[in-house]
Amino acid sequence: MKTILTGIRANSVLTLGNYLGALLPMVRLSNKYSKDYNVNIFVPDLHSIISDVDGDLKENTIRTLKYYLAAGLEINENVHIYRQSRVPAHSELCWILNCVATMGELNRMTQYKEKSDGKASCNVGIFDYPVLMAADILLYSATYVPLGEDQFQHIELTRNIAERFNHKFGEVFIIPAETKEQVEFMGVEKPIRIRDLVNPEKKMSKSTASENSKIMLDDEPFKAAKKVMSATTDSFVEVQFDFEKRPGISNLLYIEALITDTPLDEVVKKWQGTTRYGELKKQVANSVSEMLVEFQKRLAEISDKQVLELFEFGEKYANEVANQKLIEVQKAFNLR
Ligand code: AQP
């Protein structure tokens, strides 16, 4: 069986960007394919500590898994849920892959440049986490890795590291699908990138200081609606969908399409060419707040015990699969 794999860092409450870009697509894919595919959903808690953790990491980890359940994830024996730190093979393989990856390729990673920008010094984890990510993917021979747009460069890096390894040591790793195929599998036209509400040139991020820039999944729905109403748009007369020239209003159209699961074309057709900026904002504010009401209601019904039981099953599976692959790698490297 092929494997679909994804993870979201648990360093704080998630944003609407994380939800629409990564969490919801994964839930939809899992529900659609988990009869015929392995589905691995893990919390990369070792990735979380490359930056400050807001709150208690253990609790954040459990909450992040609850988000998947609240977003409608259906569980069967092919769905595996685990914590990265409970599967030591991730760190072990990361070290080995560090000896295959090059400084030059890691230096080119946009996320590294953005996360280290302006800092006099940053921790080595910020530089090296794409290699840990490669280990996360390759240990389970994952073909599909549904992620937001910002992480696609890391999938390409994973492919390069795996190809280089296989070329030198034999066919040890399954190569994840290339970007185009990943995007097609996700059923979207291009990788998803939700923008910052105040500065729509940038992506919406958990760590952005300005509260109005981001919608958090624990925001009170009326507060989230207010943030949408005050989102930056533009000073043109008519609504146009164009991320290059009109990122603010395009972001709102995009959010509306993703939340209501309506084709983007249809949403754009309804609003494009009209002067109804205010009405469009109200519509999106409504959709966001309705989504949060439903989501938060479901979240409150999920217990820690439910999640801990899933970890128990998933971590047993993950250790078995990952250790087997690690042994193959160690043999290839003559460590064993
Ligand atoms: N704005 C976004 N639009 C679409 N997808 C997004 N993702 C993040 N932001 C957006 C996707 O969410 C997943 C998990 O991200 P992560 O927490 O592991 O790391 P990140 O990309 O660093 O997320 P943030 O919100 O920007 O966190 P901070 O501010 O802490 O650095 C990934 O699939 C990502 O693509």
Side-chain angles (χ1 to χ4, degrees):
M1 276 203 294
K2 285 189 176 168
T3 297
I4 313 172
L5 174 145
T6 200
I8 297 187
R9 294 194 305 145
N11 52 328
S12 75
V13 173
L14 300 188
T15 67
L16 186 70
N18 299 130
Y19 179 81
L20 293 177
L23 203 133
L24 194 58
M26 183 58 179
V27 168
R28 287 180 178 153
L29 286 177
S30 177
N31 292 351
K32 185 168 170 190
Y33 290 112
S34 64
K35 279 201 197 76
D36 306 311
Y37 286 67
N38 279 313
V39 173
N40 289 10
I41 297 178
F42 72 107
V43 179
D45 47 0
L46 296 174
H47 286 286
S48 299
I49 57 176
I50 64 169
S51 49
D52 291 342
V53 175
D54 187 4
D56 180 306
L57 183 54
K58 294 186 293 308
E59 283 169 18
N60 290 357
T61 298
I62 290 176
R63 186 185 53 218
T64 301
L65 258 319
K66 286 185 182 176
Y67 286 150
Y68 283 96
L69 299 174
L73 180 73
E74 293 161 12
I75 301 293
N76 67 33
E77 71 282 2
N78 292 333
V79 179
H80 312 105
I81 289 184
Y82 52 94
R83 289 163 285 197
Q84 184 187 34
S85 62
R86 304 303 166 102
V87 189
H90 288 244
S91 314
E92 183 75 24
L93 181 61
C94 174
W95 179 255
I96 294 175
L97 297 182
N98 274 335
C99 303
V100 178
T102 66
M103 298 286 286
E105 59 194 349
L106 291 182
N107 255 321
R108 285 195 291 277
M109 294 297 111
T110 308
Q111 283 291 295
Y112 162 62
K113 288 185 202 157
E114 283 180 6
K115 287 188 197 295
S116 61
D117 192 28
K119 292 191 180 139
S121 157
C122 75
N123 69 58
V124 177
I126 289 182
F127 180 68
D128 195 38
Y129 90 92
V131 181
L132 180 56
M133 197 169 148
D136 301 336
I137 296 170
L138 297 174
L139 276 175
Y140 303 92
S141 305
T143 302
Y144 297 111
V145 190
L147 295 168
E149 191 251 13
D150 55 319
Q151 296 293 335
F152 271 79
Q153 199 184 18
H154 296 158
I155 302 181
E156 282 309 313
L157 175 76
T158 301
R159 285 169 50 83
N160 292 340
I161 293 175
E163 276 165 3
R164 198 174 311 140
F165 187 101
N166 283 357
H167 183 69
K168 201 162 170 193
F169 298 104
E171 296 298 306
V172 173
F173 292 127
I174 301 283
I175 312 289
E178 59 184 340
T179 302
K180 189 166 170 283
E181 198 187 329
Q182 298 278 355
V183 172
E184 278 167 12
F185 186 74
M186 283 175 76
V188 289
E189 278 166 41
K190 56 187 183 83
I192 299 170
R193 179 183 172 91
I194 301 299
R195 310 296 183 98
D196 181 299
L197 294 179
V198 175
N199 182 359
E201 308 289 334
K202 288 175 29 189
K203 77 160 186 166
M204 186 182 286
S205 263
K206 309 181 201 83
S207 52
T208 307
S210 147
E211 282 304 314
N212 280 339
S213 286
K214 53 192 181 182
I215 289 173
M216 307 305 290
L217 293 181
D218 67 350
D219 272 352
E220 292 194 40
F222 80 91
K223 194 170 133 196
K226 266 192 179 169
K227 291 183 187 178
V228 173
M229 292 307 290
S230 64
T232 306
T233 52
D234 52 60
S235 48
F236 292 94
V237 181
E238 291 180 355
V239 172
Q240 288 292 335
F241 182 78
D242 181 344
F243 262 119
E244 288 294 309
K245 298 191 187 115
R246 316 267 195 101
I249 200 74
S250 303
N251 195 33
L252 296 185
L253 290 164
Y254 198 31
I255 290 174
E256 174 68 8
L258 290 169
I259 288 191
T260 58
D261 201 14
T262 310
L264 181 60
D265 286 358
E266 237 174 78
V267 175
V268 171
K269 205 167 138 204
K270 178 168 173 198
W271 297 96
Q272 185 141 277
T274 72
T275 54
R276 291 147 52 208
Y277 277 79
E279 216 182 303
L280 170 56
K281 275 189 168 179
K282 256 192 213 156
Q283 170 66 45
V284 180
N286 220 5
S287 299
V288 168
S289 90
E290 273 178 16
M291 178 238 126
L292 286 178
V293 168
E294 273 301 301
F295 179 81
Q296 291 170 0
K297 186 167 160 272
R298 287 196 301 267
L299 189 67
E301 288 162 2
I302 303 163
S303 68
D304 287 9
K305 187 166 169 274
Q306 259 172 287
V307 175
L308 292 170
E309 280 169 8
L310 291 172
F311 280 149
E312 201 176 316
F313 169 73
E315 285 164 9
K316 187 168 176 292
Y317 161 90
N319 273 295
E320 278 168 17
V321 175
N323 287 340
Q324 215 174 328
K325 183 54 78 181
L326 183 63
I327 288 172
E328 266 183 71
V329 175
Q330 288 170 328
K331 283 184 178 162
F333 242 97
N334 263 338
L335 288 162
R336 196 182 264 267

